[in-house]
Amino acid sequence: MTARPAADEEVGLLLNEEVAEGFRLARLAAPHLARIGQPGQFVQVRVREGHEPLLRLPLSLAGVDPDAGTIDLLYEVRGPKTRALAGVRTGESLRCLGPLGVGFTLPAGDARVLLVGGGIGVPPLLFLGHCLRREGGRPELLVGARTAARHLPGRLLTPAAVTLRLATDDGSAGHRGPVTELLVDSLTTAPATAVCACGPEPMLAAVAALCRQFGVPCQVSLEAYMACGIGICVGCVVEVAAPPGASPYERYRRVCVDGPVFDALTVRWSQP
């Protein structure tokens, strides 16, 4: 999927509520973004005027409603920028630069697509699942978290998939163990058209290895620290497969403009 024209849009905050332990849902009146945003793309949020926080906050689109002109952003409160966003009240204005980046390529037709998410990597998969269902696809959502309290509520997860399966490290909800064990089970049960994943790098590396083993195409949305979000600072590069002797320009890609979605088999994972 190619990127759409971005704009720095003034948006109004319609909702900003806690939906799970440490996670919040922000709904914004953003007609431009709602009209052209695609699954896998993200926005750069300017929480307030002035220099604190200095940098914008990159957040994946978790959903859009073109008719209502709204977008949904899910975020974890864990740093100064997300704490500042959590403090914004309904009715106040923000600025959103976007949509940015290259998103997922949607398989056509009646496709069985396995969506694998971990932690705050789930939001772009919710948007993707909605789009797949609208096109007649059969997305199955596999979500991992440390504990039940860290899972997003069912009202946000179930509309994005025909099948929802949960995993927790402590066994407090769903399967006890990593979400990749659910992926092995799903790949063994029936053929899959594709796998799409987002989450921590160790999880994505494991997903990529499994998809290589099973011969299934895999797209991953990478999480990376971003400063500018538009490719200027080159602070979010990822190493990709390149021929011997390739230049740095061939060996590295910027997550913000060349991604955040990549073919999993082209990424050189730092995890074993």
Side-chain angles (χ1 to χ4, degrees):
M1 194 217 75
T2 57
R4 303 290 187 90
D8 193 6
E9 185 176 13
E10 182 174 351
V11 301
L13 185 68
L14 304 176
L15 178 71
N16 194 6
E17 65 176 9
E18 185 175 45
V19 292
E21 185 180 277
F23 293 96
R24 299 183 71 87
L25 167 65
R27 179 162 295 152
L28 306 172
H32 171 76
L33 290 163
R35 187 173 65 254
I36 67 172
Q38 300 294 313
Q41 291 189 299
F42 67 98
V43 296
Q44 287 277 82
V45 182
R46 185 178 182 183
V47 179
R48 61 167 69 102
E49 298 295 329
H51 302 293
E52 189 63 37
L54 178 62
L55 300 176
R56 295 196 182 207
L57 171 64
L59 292 172
S60 297
L61 292 171
V64 306
D65 186 335
D67 295 330
T70 62
I71 65 170
D72 285 351
L73 305 175
L74 284 156
Y75 64 100
E76 181 182 9
V77 182
R78 61 181 180 183
K81 288 183 283 188
T82 48
R83 285 196 295 269
L85 179 56
V88 179
R89 298 179 180 179
T90 301
E92 295 182 342
S93 295
L94 311 166
R95 295 202 71 87
C96 279
L97 175 63
L100 300 172
V102 178
F104 292 100
T105 299
L106 274 65
D110 182 24
R112 180 177 183 248
V113 183
L114 306 179
L115 310 179
V116 186
I120 199 58
V122 177
L125 302 178
L126 301 183
F127 187 9
L128 176 60
H130 278 279
C131 292
L132 289 169
R133 296 195 72 178
R134 186 183 63 216
E135 298 301 319
R138 294 174 290 122
E140 299 180 21
L141 183 58
L142 315 177
V143 183
R146 292 197 301 271
T147 187
R150 302 282 289 175
H151 271 299
L152 295 172
R155 65 181 175 86
L156 297 178
L157 299 176
T158 53
V162 295
T163 302
L164 170 64
R165 301 179 69 188
L166 304 180
T168 49
D169 294 343
D170 63 2
S172 55
H175 172 76
R176 184 187 184 99
V179 70
T180 48
E181 291 180 356
L182 293 181
L183 177 60
V184 170
D185 182 67
S186 292
L187 289 172
T188 305
T189 300
T193 306
V195 172
C196 297
C198 185
E201 182 180 330
M203 186 205 85
L204 294 181
V207 169
L210 286 170
C211 289
R212 186 186 296 274
Q213 175 185 338
F214 281 88
V216 179
C218 179
Q219 301 174 60
V220 291
S221 178
L222 299 183
E223 298 178 338
Y225 179 80
M226 294 181 188
C228 72
I230 54 175
I232 296 174
C233 70
V234 198
C236 61
V237 295
V238 60
E239 187 174 5
V240 297
S247 71
Y249 296 102
E250 297 172 290
R251 290 173 49 211
Y252 293 94
R253 296 288 184 270
R254 295 164 295 177
V255 172
C256 62
V257 293
D258 300 313
V261 177
F262 293 87
D263 180 336
L265 301 186
T266 68
V267 177
R268 291 195 178 278
W269 303 99
S270 60
Q271 299 294 324

